[in-house]
Amino acid sequence: MPSDNGQDLTGLQRKWLDAVAQASGVETLEQVRVEALGKKGEISGLMKTLGSMSPEARKDFGARLNLLKDEVAAAIETRKATLGDAALDARLARETLDLTLPARPEQEGRIHPISQTIDEIVAIFGEMGFSVAEGPDIEDDFHNFTALNIPADHPARQMQDTFYLPQRADGSQMVLRTHTSPVQIRTMQKAKPPIRVICPGRTYRVDSDMTHSPMFHQVEGLVIDETTHMGHLKGCLIDFVRAFFGIDDLPVRFRPSYFPFTEPSAEVDIGCDRSGGELKLGKGKDWMEILGSGMVHPNVLENCGIDSTKYQGFAFGMGIERIAMLKYGIPDLRTFYESDLRWLRHYGFVPLDMPSMVGGLTR
Ligand code: PHE
């Protein structure tokens, strides 16, 4: 029973709830909100009359008015969500894309130089009888380090090089793989020799400047058989770099080096000429390092369950950005990841021109 000086609010309730329900768009709904609950709105206006009422009447009317206010506000929110969904649905229906349409010539995409370079590497090694293997970007300590004969106190494990994931309940910690070498391990754990694989993929190191990116790409190679020796390693890599750079007489030099997972180890340099401030690959008096390699360490074979008295082989790893920059004259590493369409149009490759040894690597 409404008190004597209180008003019956049911009419008002019906009026505003109807208005909310009938609002056909987000704008009309906002209009309704302003007229009902805005500073000068009808319900807000009634709120202001509370001050002049007797305490008794104020208590009763104020309570009912607040209920009405909350009810209208809630109705507006619900209606808003519905209208928003409807607007989104309409937009989704309006903006459908027909993916079967041919690309407009002025918007045609390009193959990124990294993808192109990987395709070229796969084409060359594919011709030599290698297949492609892949592994996870997030690795465990065993595959990224231990199995590769990298002892617990090896500097490569220290925090400044490796991205560690948060420690897990059992105390172990996953890492973002620092090289593609863990894919060697995964391959040897699964397959029986003879093995001949390359493993292209993303790798990660805590390093960022003009010539280092925290994410970059490598390609790993692994050959395991009974009589595979250093001569095979040299022949394979000489053939590869000459095919990749398209220079038949490209000088190649093997320099003794050290990696925990290979013995002996060698870094590979290609000939170049830096005179005149310009870099030219080929015969010259300078050398440029492009990859690491070596005979797989017997400990690594044994860690993967391969009998090191029966089997042996070689492995190599190289940075894909680096050889792409050298081959295609891309001066700045960071531009690879900027997704700048003008850059991509300049350095990118035409889709469908897949590199092959028969059709040619780059056209
Ligand atoms: N994993 C080494 C690196 O990242 C490269 C390498 C691979 C060297 C295989 C030798 C054999 O530097």
Side-chain angles (χ1 to χ4, degrees):
M1 182 86 179
S3 62
D4 39 358
N5 57 351
Q7 305 172 30
D8 182 5
L9 293 174
T10 40
L12 215 52
Q13 180 193 38
R14 189 168 311 120
K15 170 181 166 188
W16 287 115
L17 291 184
D18 281 353
V20 170
Q22 276 154 26
S24 56
V26 189
E27 294 81 21
T28 4
L29 184 64
E30 174 60 11
Q31 192 68 33
V32 172
R33 191 194 64 78
V34 169
E35 282 167 18
L37 305 175
K39 255 198 188 117
K40 294 186 181 137
E42 188 173 20
I43 297 175
S44 315
L46 283 172
M47 287 284 183
K48 287 181 197 139
T49 65
L50 290 174
S52 57
M53 290 180 184
S54 69
E56 276 281 286
R58 188 187 309 147
K59 198 169 165 215
D60 167 71
F61 187 61
R64 288 187 296 121
L65 198 56
N66 260 321
L67 278 180
L68 174 65
K69 192 185 99 186
D70 291 347
E71 193 179 3
V72 173
I76 289 174
E77 280 314 305
T78 311
R79 182 80 187 134
K80 201 190 229 165
T82 314
L83 289 173
D85 287 349
L88 183 62
D89 286 346
R91 207 174 136 207
L92 286 173
R94 198 169 58 239
E95 294 179 3
T96 48
L97 287 177
D98 182 354
L99 295 176
T100 64
L101 287 174
R104 280 192 254 145
E106 74 276 15
Q107 288 190 357
E108 190 184 87
R110 284 284 184 278
I111 302 296
H112 194 281
I114 295 292
S115 305
Q116 171 76 16
T117 304
I118 292 175
D119 289 345
E120 292 177 16
I121 294 168
V122 169
I124 298 170
F125 283 108
E127 190 78 3
M128 297 187 201
F130 285 72
S131 50
V132 175
E134 285 183 309
D137 288 19
I138 296 176
E139 264 298 4
D140 54 35
D141 189 271
F142 177 77
H143 289 91
N144 197 76
F145 296 123
T146 313
L148 286 160
N149 203 32
I150 303 177
D153 52 2
H154 195 280
R157 284 198 181 200
Q158 274 164 21
M159 297 294 270
Q160 67 266 29
D161 291 326
T162 309
F163 284 109
Y164 285 91
L165 273 73
Q167 204 162 38
R168 298 195 294 190
D170 63 1
S172 69
Q173 235 172 334
M174 301 292 276
V175 302
L176 295 182
R177 65 179 178 195
T178 56
H179 48 185
T180 41
S181 301
V183 191
Q184 279 186 42
I185 303 299
R186 291 183 177 276
T187 304
M188 288 189 279
Q189 286 175 323
K190 274 200 308 258
K192 297 249 166 307
I195 292 170
R196 213 182 282 175
V197 291
I198 55 166
C199 327
R202 292 189 170 132
T203 48
Y204 306 83
R205 287 183 202 173
V206 184
D207 217 344
S208 185
D209 59 37
M210 278 272 284
T211 54
H212 295 91
S213 153
M215 187 284 294
F216 57 104
H217 297 77
Q218 282 191 342
V219 60
E220 193 82 7
L222 176 71
V223 175
I224 305 288
D225 209 336
E226 291 184 28
T227 55
T228 304
H229 54 69
M230 193 83 186
H232 295 126
L233 178 158
K234 291 182 72 176
C236 173
L237 291 175
I238 292 171
D239 280 356
F240 167 74
V241 292
R242 289 186 175 163
F244 179 79
F245 291 107
I247 306 173
D248 289 343
D249 58 351
L250 181 65
V252 185
R253 175 173 86 171
F254 291 77
R255 205 166 17 81
S257 183
Y258 171 79
F259 298 102
F261 33 91
T262 47
E263 180 58 35
S265 305
E267 275 172 317
V268 181
D269 300 339
I270 54 174
C272 63
D273 184 3
R274 289 197 181 87
S275 61
E278 200 195 331
L279 176 76
K280 240 184 114 246
L281 297 181
K283 286 210 180 81
K285 54 181 179 0
D286 301 308
W287 294 99
M288 152 129 7
E289 183 211 313
I290 58 157
L291 65 96
S293 67
M295 298 305 294
V296 178
H297 198 294
N299 289 354
V300 175
L301 295 170
E302 297 293 338
N303 288 340
C304 302
I306 291 181
D307 182 356
S308 64
T309 62
K310 184 166 182 215
Y311 293 107
Q312 56 185 33
F314 65 86
F316 58 87
M318 76 191 132
I320 292 177
E321 280 80 354
R322 183 161 168 78
I323 60 170
M325 288 167 80
L326 283 173
K327 180 168 179 177
Y328 295 115
I330 301 171
D332 186 345
L333 174 72
R334 292 170 297 192
T335 55
F336 277 106
Y337 317 111
E338 282 170 356
S339 301
D340 183 335
L341 274 180
R342 292 163 305 173
W343 183 88
L344 198 57
R345 258 175 223 131
H346 183 80
Y347 288 111
F349 295 84
V350 179
L352 305 181
D353 265 358
M354 279 296 287
S356 79
M357 292 307 280
V358 180
L361 293 179
T362 325
R363 273 176 282 174

